[in-house]
Amino acid sequence: MAKRIEVDVTDYSFLEAASSYKGSLLRPIDTAKLLKMCFWLEFELSRMTMGWVSSVPDWDLKGELVRLSYLHTQHMVQLRERISELPGADINDKAWTPSGLQEACQRITQAGGLIEFAAGYKFIVQKLYEQYTAFHETLDPILDGPTFDKLRYIELDKEQMLSWGIPYVKFAYVEDGQKRDAYHSWLVYIDHVWKVLEKSSSVKKIDWPDHPVLDPAGPIPLKPANDPKYPHVDLTKYKSAMFDPKSPTYDSLKHMIFINASEMSAVESLTYLYYGVQKMPVDFYLDVARHTWDEVRHSQMGVRRLKQMGYRTEDFSWHPSTAPTPETMDQVFPEFYASLTMVMEPCSFIKKRKSIGAFMKHGDPLSSIQSEYDIADERLHVGFGQKWGAKLFEHMEDFISAQNAAETVKQMHLRKMGYSQDEINKVLHSFPEFCGFATMELNYDKY
């Protein structure tokens, strides 16, 4: 009788076993380790750019930084997918950037100004793409064809990322010798930090060089920098900029366009969330990066449309962005995120749906289609809120369950708007009536 042979097709442990092979080719487990290095470097670059959004005043530059951050997360998606196919530890929900790499990037991110930040970002991006280039030279295009496919996708953004900082650093302080010397010292510091990182061992404490900047301009400054072309509303008079009757679009359908344009204030709050909250699952950061980029697009489409209509941004008052303090951080982050995704965005569907038909009726198809795309995006954001809202509360050690998180945040939102508990109780479980309390209505008949 033939001997029965049993095979466990799920046992891949032999692929992860130590090997004595010392040649130039990479084993699958080696490729996975190198991809992980790139994955965490992409993540830190994403955090760098997102963290610096509120440090710069220019509205358009804020959008550029969010876009870069989002692109880095899209590279993470590609890398993680390939890593999951290879032997070795996967990127699980508790995974986080290796401490040495995180501190090196954090030191380089803590720059004295935009020029210095741009130099640091450019330096690290160059290191990242040097690693990708080394991959191309080392990997076997047949044996590891799937990795080549992922790298080809990432290659699409190479020129944009490598060139972003050039306009800021090319003629850095050319007219100021003292600042030019300080800038040169900063470049020397960046290079020193990276060399220390490369020579470091995971089992030894790293001896970092002294940081040369006493008062970094970023990331996540205590007070967000404001673009003077977007003057702030007086919050002692109005609950938000959209309630200011001096707005040239007030009491008209066009106010929907201004509401779109003003979403940059949500963008900046999301950047504090993205950079400030540590060690959530990787998918949280991927979703928040997408959400933040969507809000940038909504702001951009609103500003573009207002300018097409003949308005200037200076004609409006804009809602200021706020930064959480160390004392309020544990509460502000989850409350803001839950309020945005469980109150403001779902409640906005009512007026946005009405505005779609109203814009068409007034012969404005572009504004109508803007609202369609806006709703499509925000349906996604509501899903993000359902996915992460309660988990964020729990992560910040504020024990609110998934079942009551939505109701809790609705109550908080209405209390902030000045409604009594009796009024809140009457409308809390009637979504249309609740949204009537929580947001403003538009005059759809007046264009």
Side-chain angles (χ1 to χ4, degrees), residues 212-359:
V213 180
L214 296 177
D215 188 19
I220 54 172
L222 293 176
K223 184 178 180 181
N226 178 54
D227 191 331
K229 298 189 296 295
Y230 296 78
H232 286 164
V233 68
D234 184 352
L235 289 179
T236 64
K237 295 181 179 179
Y238 310 107
K239 296 171 184 175
S240 76
M242 71 177 70
F243 291 98
D244 186 349
K246 295 193 297 295
S247 167
T249 57
Y250 191 80
D251 194 36
S252 76
L253 177 60
K254 289 180 181 178
H255 211 49
M256 184 69 254
I257 304 298
F258 169 65
I259 293 171
N260 291 147
S262 65
E263 290 183 22
M264 187 60 82
S265 63
V267 167
E268 294 202 272
S269 296
L270 284 168
T271 65
Y272 279 90
L273 178 76
Y274 188 91
Y275 191 90
V277 177
Q278 304 284 297
K279 298 186 179 180
M280 285 284 282
V282 168
D283 281 338
F284 170 78
Y285 300 97
L286 301 180
D287 289 346
V288 173
R290 168 61 192 272
H291 188 168
T292 310
W293 179 55
D294 285 347
E295 301 295 359
V296 167
R297 290 173 39 244
H298 299 168
S299 174
Q300 289 173 341
M301 73 186 188
V303 170
R304 179 180 67 180
R305 192 75 188 102
L306 289 175
K307 290 181 177 179
Q308 288 171 340
M309 292 173 171
Y311 299 112
R312 302 177 311 138
T313 59
E314 293 88 346
D315 298 333
F316 300 82
S317 57
W318 303 82
H319 199 86
S321 303
T322 55
T325 66
E327 294 76 25
T328 63
M329 190 176 296
D330 287 359
Q331 187 176 15
V332 168
F333 277 148
E335 282 188 12
F336 157 72
Y337 185 73
S339 181
L340 178 64
T341 57
M342 297 181 188
V343 176
M344 290 181 276
E345 292 188 313
C347 281
S348 73
F349 287 2
I350 297 172
K351 61 175 173 281
K352 287 173 182 176
R353 285 188 182 122
K354 291 180 181 179
S355 71
I356 290 170
F359 277 124

Side-chain angles (χ1 to χ4, degrees), residues 44-103:
E44 289 304 314
L45 284 163
S46 176
R47 294 182 71 243
M48 284 178 67
T49 45
M50 197 75 86
W52 258 79
V53 169
S54 288
S55 300
V56 299
D58 186 87
W59 191 283
D60 295 324
L61 180 52
K62 292 175 189 287
E64 288 178 19
L65 289 168
V66 172
R67 174 64 177 170
L68 285 172
S69 180
Y70 170 73
L71 291 177
H72 283 297
T73 64
Q74 292 306 290
H75 297 174
M76 291 167 62
V77 170
Q78 299 296 318
L79 294 169
R80 185 175 64 167
E81 185 175 300
R82 181 54 179 153
I83 291 167
S84 70
E85 298 169 349
L86 295 167
D90 200 356
I91 307 292
N92 59 47
D93 282 352
K94 294 184 179 180
W96 192 251
T97 309
S99 59
L101 176 61
Q102 183 181 12
E103 182 161 355

Side-chain angles (χ1 to χ4, degrees), residues 83-130:
I83 291 167
S84 70
E85 298 169 349
L86 295 167
D90 200 356
I91 307 292
N92 59 47
D93 282 352
K94 294 184 179 180
W96 192 251
T97 309
S99 59
L101 176 61
Q102 183 181 12
E103 182 161 355
C105 292
Q106 187 175 43
R107 284 170 169 271
I108 294 173
T109 306
Q110 293 172 330
L114 175 60
I115 291 174
E116 289 77 11
F117 168 74
Y121 174 78
K122 184 173 179 292
F123 178 90
I124 299 178
V125 168
Q126 286 174 330
K127 294 296 182 181
L128 173 67
Y129 276 97
E130 285 172 8

